[in-house]
Amino acid sequence: MKILFATSEAHPLIKTGGLADVSGSLPDALAALKHKVRLVLPAYRDVLQKVPAKSVRKVAEFEVGGCGREFVATILQVKAGGVEGIDVPVWLVDIPELFDRSGNPYLAEDGTDWWDNGERFGVFSKVVTELAMDRVGLKWVADVVHVNDWQTGLVSALLSMEKKRPKTVFTVHNMAYPGNFPQSLFAQLKLPPSLWGMEGVEFWGHFSMLKAGLLKSDWVTTVSPTYAKEICFPEFAYGFEGVLQKRFEEGRLIGILNGIDEEVWNPAKDELIHKNYSLEKGRVANKKRNKAFLLNELSTLKGLDESAMTSQMENWLEAPLIGLVGRLVEQKGIDLVLQVLPDMLEQTQANFVFVGSGNKAYEAELSRYAQQYADRIWTYIGYSERLAHQVEAGADLFLMPSRFEPCGLNQMYSLAYGTPPIVHHTGGLADTVVNATDEHLKQGTATGFVFYDPSRYALKSTLLHALHLFGKKRSWQQLQKNGMQQNFGWKASAKHYVKLYSEEK
Ligand code: ADP
Ligand code: GLC
């Protein structure tokens, strides 16, 4: 099969979160199953800087309409393997007026959305549609077009107007981002008028690119089975529950759990951590060396002096270290963490490391804690791939109290790294972590800690339970081992997608 995979971010070219991890590894997993895959994404400035000149060539150039202006879209093809970590050819859509900006693909420097996001991704979707229809002279006819999140939702709607067209699969990575724009954008982009209306892309008088994908794709998938059920209810659907229930009843909405890239997130091979490690005779010996390294790095960054560090190190290594890496947004339950921190500091020995960026108020609070408790809390505000890996390797426990979580990758990474996760029972977290109840411990199936109500009380008691178990060496090792033996590679999920791609429209 020929599969065109369209996305707004892909690791290692550009990343803000898990969508990039998925877009950087699922196409490779599909290619490993002998399918022909093309990955297509905007040629952001940072992406162009990462692509070696010798791996890229111009393969097409054509005009595409924006809002009251015409753009020249250039398709740059990066050969398979031209960027380390991506095994399939990549098509970069180069429209400098829209994408030649550095930094975050969606946000301007002040943290607000780019003013022209609607035009940027509307035009990108038009270009993907042209590629999918093989109308730009590339002689590559897709059987399936797989699009992701609102940024590419319009592709399915545009393709639904075509007589002879590829199948469309739309994956929802997060319902919280609806891609809502004024109706005027719909008109300015000169989209087919028949796409407007309740049965089209209209959402309460607005133009929703998410709805375009949800309603007009042959199949809608989401990134875990539990999230597929959750989004049929108002609490998780942000007003789209009607559309989603309809798609579910038609048998067109399914959940396929994300996988993890075992080349990138594997403690035995990870090049970003201090000491590689794996399970040896049921133990994870080198993990402690990573903990010492991480604490040393973070303390140096913080400006703690050498002698203070040396005198503290022994205590630090003894005390449980709880890590959190993620976008600092409401979704991730950061408010719950802030609510339980004072008690945890007062009543336990636990230390904390936070790596993330997002909401300015959360950033400020976490930084303030790190200042006030200089030898118990370390906060890094910003994006650091290295630190993200080092926290997985160096922390004893990983905290992920998300209020909702479509899939979540970090909890799977932490399982693989022998760092049992503490998670709220929702979405992909519910599908991947087995609570350390007495029964599950006895059965040898427990992998982490789960709380069932997104409240500070539930989180606190679960943290206390986890710290209690941390003190029991044998149970702890068993828990780490159970997690490290889980198989979350992409192969099974990629096969699931292929099965879907093969079905009749
Ligand atoms: P989401 O996609 O909702 O952000 P996921 O758990 O699916 O959540 O994926 C998050 C990905 O982004 C992980 O690979 C995680 O390590 C990474 N990440 C998030 N914030 C940061 C950060 N500040 N620095 C480095 N990596 C980060
Ligand atoms: C989204 C979700 C996250 C998921 C990721 C990749 O960003 O918030 O739960 O793991 O997409 O699918």
Side-chain angles (χ1 to χ4, degrees), residues 282 441 469-480:
L441 282 168
L469 211 70
F470 180 72
K472 299 185 163 197
K473 255 209 160 103
R474 283 191 52 193
S475 306
W476 195 257
Q477 280 171 0
Q478 182 65 43
L479 192 66
Q480 287 180 303

Side-chain angles (χ1 to χ4, degrees), residues 15-19 21 174 265 325-327 331-332 355-357 382-385 388 400 405 407-411 413:
K15 167 167 167 179
T16 71
L19 171 60
D21 289 359
N174 200 331
W265 292 96
V325 178
R327 295 180 296 118
Q331 173 189 349
K332 302 292 173 179
V355 174
S357 64
Y383 190 89
S384 165
E385 200 70 30
M400 213 161 157
E405 195 61 80
C407 178
L409 298 168
N410 273 313
Q411 83 282 9
Y413 300 153

Side-chain angles (χ1 to χ4, degrees), residues 362-475:
Y362 293 150
E363 291 183 354
E365 269 292 274
L366 293 173
S367 304
R368 189 185 63 73
Y369 268 107
Q371 250 173 6
Q372 190 179 346
Y373 297 89
D375 58 354
R376 294 195 61 189
I377 300 188
W378 292 263
T379 298
Y380 176 89
I381 300 296
Y383 190 89
S384 165
E385 200 70 30
R386 260 185 79 233
L387 274 180
H389 284 247
Q390 288 176 4
V391 169
E392 293 290 5
D396 295 300
L397 282 145
F398 194 89
L399 189 52
M400 213 161 157
S402 310
R403 290 182 178 276
F404 69 93
E405 195 61 80
C407 178
L409 298 168
N410 273 313
Q411 83 282 9
M412 293 195 261
Y413 300 153
S414 63
L415 289 169
Y417 280 68
T419 312
I422 300 168
V423 304
H424 172 219
H425 191 265
T426 184
L429 300 176
D431 292 336
T432 51
V433 182
V434 181
N435 195 14
T437 56
D438 288 347
E439 199 187 345
H440 291 150
L441 282 168
K442 252 189 235 138
Q443 289 168 353
T445 53
T447 58
F449 301 89
V450 183
F451 61 102
Y452 294 84
D453 161 37
S455 73
R456 61 192 289 187
Y457 307 104
L459 171 59
K460 183 180 163 188
S461 59
T462 306
L463 274 165
L464 293 177
H465 176 216
L467 294 177
H468 169 74
L469 211 70
F470 180 72
K472 299 185 163 197
K473 255 209 160 103
R474 283 191 52 193
S475 306

Side-chain angles (χ1 to χ4, degrees), residues 2-45:
K2 288 205 175 101
I3 304 153
L4 180 62
F5 192 95
T7 182
S8 55
E9 51 181 285
H11 178 78
L13 288 170
I14 183 112
K15 167 167 167 179
T16 71
L19 171 60
D21 289 359
V22 172
S23 305
S25 45
L26 172 57
D28 288 358
L30 294 167
L33 295 174
K34 304 272 176 272
H35 297 286
K36 296 216 154 49
V37 188
R38 293 280 184 278
L39 179 62
V40 53
L41 76 157
Y44 308 108
R45 185 184 296 171

Side-chain angles (χ1 to χ4, degrees), residues 41-174:
L41 76 157
Y44 308 108
R45 185 184 296 171
D46 293 13
V47 167
L48 288 177
Q49 281 168 359
K50 279 197 187 145
V51 175
K54 63 176 185 335
S55 311
V56 60
R57 71 190 165 95
K58 181 170 136 183
V59 290
E61 193 173 81
F62 54 97
E63 288 207 337
V64 54
C67 295
R69 50 183 177 167
E70 288 288 312
F71 297 109
V72 174
T74 307
I75 307 298
L76 302 170
Q77 176 160 321
V78 184
K79 66 178 180 199
V83 173
E84 204 187 318
I86 300 187
D87 305 339
V88 302
V90 183
W91 284 335
L92 298 175
V93 177
D94 190 16
I95 305 175
E97 297 90 324
L98 300 179
F99 302 122
D100 184 18
R101 304 172 194 180
S102 63
N104 189 298
Y106 320 118
L107 308 176
E109 245 164 47
D110 63 1
T112 57
D113 285 357
W114 289 114
W115 63 91
D116 54 352
N117 271 351
E119 183 182 28
R120 294 171 80 222
F121 293 104
V123 170
F124 177 61
S125 295
K126 283 186 175 184
V127 170
V128 172
T129 306
E130 293 309 292
L131 291 169
M133 293 303 296
D134 193 28
R135 282 198 286 244
V136 301
L138 290 177
K139 300 208 170 60
W140 200 86
V141 184
D143 299 301
V144 182
V145 181
H146 189 155
V147 295
N148 296 276
D149 275 354
W150 72 263
Q151 291 88 347
T152 47
L154 195 56
V155 176
S156 299
L158 291 173
L159 284 174
S160 72
M161 315 282 300
E162 303 281 348
K163 269 210 188 81
K164 201 168 171 290
R165 63 165 177 90
K167 299 175 196 170
T168 51
V169 174
F170 177 61
T171 297
V172 188
H173 297 262
N174 200 331

